[in-house]
Structure formats: C-alpha cells, structure tokens
Amino acid sequence: MKDSQVVLKIRDQYQKLGEAIARCENEDDTPCGYYLNVLKTNQIGEPWPAVGTYQTEQKFWYSRDESSEVPAYTLHKIEVSIQRSARNEHVEYLFDAKGNLVFFFFKLEGDAETSQAFRFYFENGMLETYKEKIGAKELDYAYYTKDDGRLILEKAKRMMEKFKVMLAEE
C-alpha cells in the first residue's frame, strides 16, 4: 500500500530533523541550530518500588526565534527512553512548526517474537495513518491500538506543557 502525501511529508520532516540532531550530537563545535534539554528520572539507578529497575531520559529538541524581543521557542521533537525491569522502550513525538503533534512512535525492544512498534501519523489533530508491528508473543499485550489516537494527542499535550514549564524556570 502506497503511503499518503501526509505520511511522506512527515517522514521528510523526520529525516531532516534527524540529520540535524545527528550533527548536534556529533559534539563538534559547529552550531546545529537546535537546543536540547534533558530530564532524567532515577539517574543513579536505585530500585523502584514494585518495578525494580526503572530509569527514564526525556530529550526535548527545540529552536529559539532570536528575532523577537521575548524569547520564542519551538519544540520540534521529544525522545523518551525508558528502562523498566528487563524491558527497554523508546518513544518519539514529532511536532510541526505550530506545535501540533504530527508523528508518534513507540517501540518495545525485543526479538521478532517479543517486540512491539507503533506509528501514529496526524494531520490537523486527526489520526491520518496508523501502523503497528507486534511480535507473536506480545499480541495480547499490545501497548497501543489504532483507537488510541486521542490518548496519544493528550500525552503529547502533557509533554508540551512540561516543556513550557521547563523553559519558564530558566
């Protein structure tokens, strides 16, 4: 099945941002045009009640409009890594220039039988395309379904609010 124009546009945005982020992470002295704020939970790795191992890292990639007198920030992407017991999860939120969620990705790492991956593509606050890949042993434990588009948008809104609070503290 051929991907829609919306999906192709989002993939292009994702790829270009990914290339810019790779330059940022390369640690040379060349400015990459983005800022990065990182929040970590349980960085020293103490056992978490009822879970055991639990650590998260949230990366907020954003830019700043230097032309305005009052700083104006645009959040482009959030990357979340979660280590929970013996499971590793990776989550990504991609936003357009207006701050709208356009893409959400979730991956539960594992082999072909125990992994999960979900992609939600949005346009104008509506789910455009949904894709999933779930290992056979995970079918009864799927983290998301196609019906979770509204839930994903709400999570993105909470993450956006966290980002705004973070900047207000600076």
Side-chain angles (χ1 to χ4, degrees), residues 6-170:
V6 170
V7 170
L8 293 174
K9 181 180 170 186
I10 292 169
R11 284 187 182 158
D12 185 56
Q13 176 188 349
Y14 182 89
Q15 179 184 356
K16 287 178 180 171
L17 182 61
E19 290 168 0
I21 288 172
R23 285 192 307 275
C24 293
E25 292 178 325
N26 194 18
E27 297 185 16
D28 63 10
D29 291 334
T30 307
C32 68
Y34 292 95
Y35 295 89
L36 170 64
N37 288 2
V38 179
L39 295 176
K40 293 186 178 188
T41 302
N42 197 22
Q43 184 170 342
I44 60 173
E46 288 296 316
W48 207 258
V51 177
T53 300
Y54 182 76
Q55 292 181 300
T56 68
E57 180 178 84
Q58 300 174 356
K59 294 181 175 182
F60 295 79
W61 291 97
Y62 61 101
S63 59
R64 179 178 173 185
D65 180 359
E66 301 291 341
S67 66
S68 63
E69 197 170 300
V70 176
Y73 300 99
T74 302
L75 180 62
H76 297 277
K77 185 177 184 181
I78 302 170
E79 299 173 318
V80 182
S81 298
I82 304 166
Q83 183 182 7
R84 183 187 331 259
S85 297
R87 301 189 97 145
N88 292 317
E89 302 166 18
H90 181 76
V91 181
E92 296 181 11
Y93 300 83
L94 182 69
F95 299 91
D96 67 13
K98 296 178 183 174
N100 300 310
L101 182 70
V102 294
F103 178 66
F104 174 83
F105 173 72
F106 172 89
K107 181 175 183 178
L108 174 65
E109 295 179 7
D111 60 27
E113 295 288 311
T114 61
S115 64
Q116 297 183 32
F118 302 91
R119 289 172 174 79
F120 291 77
Y121 296 85
F122 295 92
E123 182 179 40
N124 299 321
M126 302 295 294
L127 182 61
E128 162 70 25
T129 301
Y130 167 82
K131 297 182 179 193
E132 68 178 37
K133 186 175 181 182
I134 305 173
K137 291 182 180 178
E138 293 292 318
L139 288 172
D140 292 335
Y141 308 103
Y143 272 60
Y144 296 103
T145 68
K146 184 177 184 175
D147 295 332
D148 289 326
R150 283 276 144 227
L151 171 71
I152 299 301
L153 289 167
E154 289 170 15
K155 289 175 97 171
K157 188 175 181 178
R158 286 193 304 272
M159 294 297 280
M160 179 69 78
E161 290 303 315
K162 185 184 286 190
F163 171 70
K164 289 177 182 176
V165 168
M166 182 187 328
L167 291 178
E169 294 176 355
E170 293 182 341

